Amino acid sequence: MKYKVLNYKDTRSGFGEGLFELGQENEKVVALCADLIGSLKMNAFAETFPDRFFQVGIAEANMIGMAAGLTIGGKIPFTGTFANFSTSRVYDQIRQAVAYSGKNVKICASHAGITLGEDGATHQVLEDIAMMKALPGMTVINPCDFNQTKQATKAIADYEGPVYLRFGRPKVATFIPYDMPFEIGKAIVLKEGTDVTLIATGHLVWEALNAADMLEEKGINAEVVNIHTIKPLDEEAVLKSVKKTGCVVTAEEHNVLGGLGESISGLLARTVPVPMEMVAVNDAFGQSGKPDELMELYGLKDKNIVEAAQKVIVRK
Amino acid sequence: MADQLAKKCTFASITKQKKSKIMATIDELKEIASQVRRDIIRMVHGAASGHPGGSLSAADYLVALYFESMQHTPEPFDMDGINQDIFILSNGHISPAYYSVLARSGYFPVSELATFRQLHTRLQGHPATMEKLPGIRIASGSLGQGLSVAIGVSRAKKINGDNKLVYCLMGDGELDEGQPWEAMAYCGGNKVNNIIAAVDYNHKQIDGDTDDVMPLLDLKAKIEAFGWDVLECNGNDMEAVVSTLQIAKEHTGKEKPVMILLHTQMGMGVDFMMGTHKWHGAAPSDEQAEKALAQLKETLGDY
């Protein structure tokens, strides 16, 4: 199947639409925001369901605690702020009041990664997946486009337990059909292939699909696997693909330390050790710039995945 | 002292009917508090670790809450606590007092207090939900988080049309953290009126007096500046605690959140544990435990 661009939309708008629909469908759903309603696209929910929406101001620690408390009484709280302030800013609050306490809180994080752009490294969190996946019981999801983010937003409301949902700021290609099934913890094989497995999450999934096209022109048949749920990892799907292709490239908008690539490498080291390359940010902070300039500078483009694929195939 | 402090408060005085009910139970509550203090000493001694100082200072308040002020159903335990008053403990290290009060009010067998801090216990060093100990609704221990959780519970109650109250106890030391002030700002700014918060104001923390470690300055004025009405009482005088809680209750449902500053003594009830911060997190030896227990009447039977 060939994927085409349906439109260009930001994944955060997928979150906003999903949340608004949840508001209509599930009255247990409540939302909290730390002074970023517009950025998180939570306006529709906030305006339509004022009794179920909490503006907490720039007080993220209080927001996480309140969200944990709202579950006591049967609510399903969705918190919204930038990814940096959703994780590192409040890691201890999430650890104790949400993860360790087993609370049904959905931590929804926008502006993840370097594609936040011009605001620079203070806001460009590249360590959030590492932090969140290290918490026992935490589900970690990084959808790839508008449609998948909307699907994920709706799916996590039906799942009982703490979830970290990570999405981004810029308008990117929407290519996942709106009716493609989405299941937490289930990888999606977007393109079948035999020579190399490209495993990607978030914004890098579109890059991986483009990379597969570019590899095709070089006579390399790549399989593209979309891991939207980094934890729990769909080990079966990864191993099935890897056993077929014999080598892997992972791609993510995150630090190489603690990200999707490390999860995959840990799995493979324990089961089917095969050559592997990781396309990720190489243990660095970001900087100001346009999203695309930064993706280029930090080596997160389709061409970087192509290079990694060519390199890994030689090592087979 | 209780009367003097009560006079300071500008709230409606409690009715005669309520007063007589309280008077009838004060002695009982004191007896329960004595047993809770014994439990605290025996638990911390048994585990050879734990935090007796703050547990002893807060014991009277917790007893007043669970045996007098709160409407709650220990059995069967309902995590959501619909149509029940809910208590959130912020300073989780006073778990010995908390566990004792929960067990003594029927949430779990009193005999289980003997497992405090042992491997595989439901009575973890700091309160936790993972082992599903009835009565615990949130983990605490990392300080400063409880009032935020209490706000969340209070908002859920508002949405649910549940007019019961949410209580929260904080230590004075944890007010060094920023988060309690975020939470206080939220409550004051949003007129949260179904929470009764309290501070165990024993003026001690691990490294010494609060005035030396991190001065709280005029705590009452600071909290008032965040939009709260602040009550004060001798937190180790059962009658004062019960009557102040009653005043606080009458104050809910109005314009401002209400905070009680409980003037207490760390180590209250055991002479050699009082007047020092040294028993914040230290367990007594066999000899010290014996000496402490000799000062605390066994009223409900030791576990």
Side-chain angles (χ1 to χ4, degrees):
Chain A
M1 163 172 187
K2 200 80 177 159
Y3 292 88
K4 58 174 196 268
V5 177
L6 303 171
N7 54 51
Y8 286 91
K9 285 187 179 181
D10 42 5
T11 51
R12 55 186 164 140
S13 287
F15 164 70
E17 250 190 57
L19 183 68
F20 179 57
E21 286 184 16
L22 278 173
Q24 294 165 310
E25 295 161 9
N26 187 342
E27 65 175 24
K28 289 182 177 174
V29 170
V30 300
L32 305 89
C33 186
D35 195 27
L36 286 169
I37 295 172
S39 296
L40 268 284
K41 306 293 179 187
M42 296 171 92
N43 315 61
F45 187 99
E47 286 158 18
T48 313
F49 310 105
D51 296 342
R52 290 193 270 147
F53 180 78
F54 303 95
Q55 168 63 274
V56 301
I58 310 164
E60 294 83 4
N62 188 43
M63 177 170 74
I64 296 297
M66 280 180 63
L70 276 154
T71 67
I72 301 167
K75 303 305 163 201
I76 306 172
F78 282 62
T79 65
T81 182
F82 289 171
N84 189 27
F85 314 136
S86 295
T87 55
S88 50
R89 177 94 202 181
V90 289
Y91 195 56
D92 183 48
Q93 284 77 13
I94 293 173
R95 181 177 180 276
Q96 176 170 286
V98 177
Y100 183 45
S101 292
K103 296 303 182 197
N104 193 22
V105 174
K106 317 303 172 185
I107 299 155
C108 302
S110 183
H111 294 55
I114 54 171
T115 51
L116 172 145
E118 294 81 350
D119 278 352
T122 54
H123 289 49
Q124 294 161 338
V125 73
L126 291 164
E127 311 87 35
D128 54 329
I129 292 173
M131 285 184 274
M132 300 310 278
K133 80 176 187 185
L135 290 172
M138 181 66 72
T139 293
V140 179
I141 302 176
N142 187 188
C144 63
D145 74 351
F146 175 92
N147 283 343
Q148 195 175 73
T149 307
K150 185 175 170 184
Q151 286 179 320
T153 303
K154 298 192 74 172
I156 61 177
D158 292 329
Y159 165 83
E160 173 82 26
V163 174
Y164 178 61
L165 180 67
R166 175 195 214 242
F167 41 90
R169 174 184 179 230
K171 286 189 166 63
V172 294
T174 305
F175 56 94
I176 295 284
Y178 77 94
D179 56 353
M180 180 182 271
F182 179 90
E183 195 179 335
I184 295 169
K186 286 283 173 220
I188 301 171
V189 178
L190 290 173
K191 176 187 173 298
E192 295 199 359
T194 51
D195 298 333
V196 58
T197 300
L198 309 180
I199 301 179
T201 193
H203 289 150
L204 269 289
V205 176
W206 181 241
E207 300 296 329
L209 282 170
N210 287 336
D213 287 346
M214 292 157 74
L215 286 165
E216 203 76 56
E217 286 167 17
K218 298 175 192 291
I220 297 169
N221 185 11
E223 178 148 305
V224 179
V225 179
N226 169 209
I227 294 282
H228 48 71
T229 307
I230 293 157
K231 186 186 172 187
L233 187 64
D234 189 345
E235 300 190 348
E236 201 184 317
V238 171
L239 291 177
K240 188 180 166 195
S241 177
V242 166
K243 280 175 186 166
K244 180 169 61 171
T245 63
C247 63
V248 183
V249 174
T250 58
E252 60 194 308
E253 190 184 345
H254 188 271
N255 194 345
V256 70
L257 301 177
L260 170 68
E262 268 198 1
S263 289
I264 301 290
S265 70
L267 167 67
L268 297 180
R270 290 193 308 272
T271 52
V272 188
V274 296
M276 179 175 170
E277 293 290 332
M278 301 185 198
V279 172
V281 175
N282 187 22
D283 198 20
F285 289 109
Q287 58 180 288
S288 291
K290 291 191 171 58
D292 219 45
E293 293 172 342
L294 292 164
M295 294 289 270
E296 184 89 26
L297 181 65
Y298 287 89
L300 303 181
K301 296 294 291 181
D302 47 12
K303 65 181 181 189
N304 304 106
I305 299 172
V306 169
E307 279 168 25
Q310 289 175 306
K311 201 167 144 193
V312 83
I313 284 171
V314 175
R315 291 170 54 206
K316 273 212 269 191
Chain B
M1 187 178 181
D3 289 344
Q4 288 168 3
L5 288 168
K7 270 182 202 161
K8 278 193 192 173
C9 308
T10 54
F11 309 110
S13 61
I14 50 176
T15 64
K16 276 183 184 170
Q17 192 185 355
K18 281 172 181 162
K19 183 109 183 168
S20 66
K21 188 203 164 203
I22 289 164
M23 292 312 290
T25 61
I26 291 297
D27 286 343
E28 290 167 25
L29 293 172
K30 284 181 182 169
E31 299 245 298
I32 296 166
S34 179
Q35 185 66 51
V36 166
R37 288 194 161 91
R38 282 185 71 83
D39 290 348
I40 291 166
I41 297 297
R42 295 183 72 243
M43 288 165 74
V44 174
H45 174 246
S49 70
H51 298 80
S55 295
L56 291 167
S57 70
D60 301 298
Y61 184 70
L62 292 178
V63 168
L65 277 184
Y66 275 81
F67 290 88
E68 164 62 27
S69 297
M70 278 173 37
Q71 293 176 36
H72 60 114
T73 309
E75 170 71 41
F77 173 62
D78 169 24
M79 174 59 82
D80 286 348
I82 305 291
N83 292 320
Q84 295 186 46
D85 290 333
I86 285 184
F87 172 70
I88 299 294
L89 178 68
S90 188
N91 51 333
H93 56 273
I94 68 160
S95 55
Y98 192 22
Y99 293 148
S100 169
V101 166
L102 287 174
R104 296 285 173 186
S105 58
Y107 280 87
F108 56 87
V110 171
S111 59
E112 202 169 339
L113 295 176
T115 69
F116 176 58
R117 288 182 170 240
Q118 309 295 319
L119 194 62
H120 303 307
T121 184
R122 298 198 294 178
L123 281 64
Q124 291 291 302
H126 292 80
T129 57
M130 191 158 284
E131 295 76 17
K132 303 199 182 309
L133 184 69
I136 310 291
R137 291 189 166 90
I138 193 85
S140 57
S142 177
L143 294 169
Q145 302 187 23
L147 186 58
S148 300
V149 175
I151 298 170
V153 180
S154 84
R155 298 305 83 188
K157 284 201 177 298
K158 283 280 183 199
I159 296 170
N160 291 338
D162 175 348
N163 62 7
K164 290 294 187 296
L165 297 173
V166 184
Y167 293 85
C168 176
L169 177 64
M170 295 178 278
D172 51 1
E174 70 176 319
L175 299 183
D176 295 353
E177 298 279 5
Q179 190 179 348
W181 299 95
E182 291 184 9
M184 281 189 253
Y186 185 92
C187 291
N190 291 280
K191 300 184 167 68
V192 172
N193 63 5
N194 56 347
I195 285 182
I196 296 176
V199 176
D200 184 14
Y201 200 7
N202 59 31
H203 295 266
K204 298 276 187 291
Q205 55 194 107
I206 297 181
D207 279 351
D209 282 15
T210 52
D211 283 344
D212 296 329
V213 177
M214 185 69 223
L216 290 166
L217 304 179
D218 189 342
L219 185 57
K220 182 169 188 266
K222 282 164 74 176
I223 298 170
E224 282 173 342
F226 276 65
W228 290 62
D229 276 324
V230 180
L231 308 178
E232 294 184 89
C233 74
N234 178 347
N236 294 130
D237 177 333
M238 189 60 79
E239 191 172 353
V241 171
V242 169
S243 63
T244 305
L245 272 166
Q246 190 59 45
I247 293 166
K249 257 192 215 183
E250 289 174 11
H251 193 67
T252 59
K254 294 177 183 156
E255 282 292 294
K256 288 183 174 181
V258 59
M259 179 83 73
I260 305 172
L261 294 185
L262 299 160
H263 293 279
T264 59
Q265 275 209 59
M266 188 175 268
M268 187 67 188
V270 177
D271 55 9
F272 63 89
M273 291 185 173
M274 291 163 68
T276 172
H277 63 276
K278 296 211 167 74
W279 291 94
H280 167 88
S285 66
D286 292 350
E287 196 184 326
Q288 288 166 329
E290 201 179 324
K291 202 176 154 196
L293 290 171
Q295 301 170 37
L296 301 165
K297 191 175 150 200
E298 183 181 349
T299 53
L300 301 174
D302 287 338
Y303 61 82

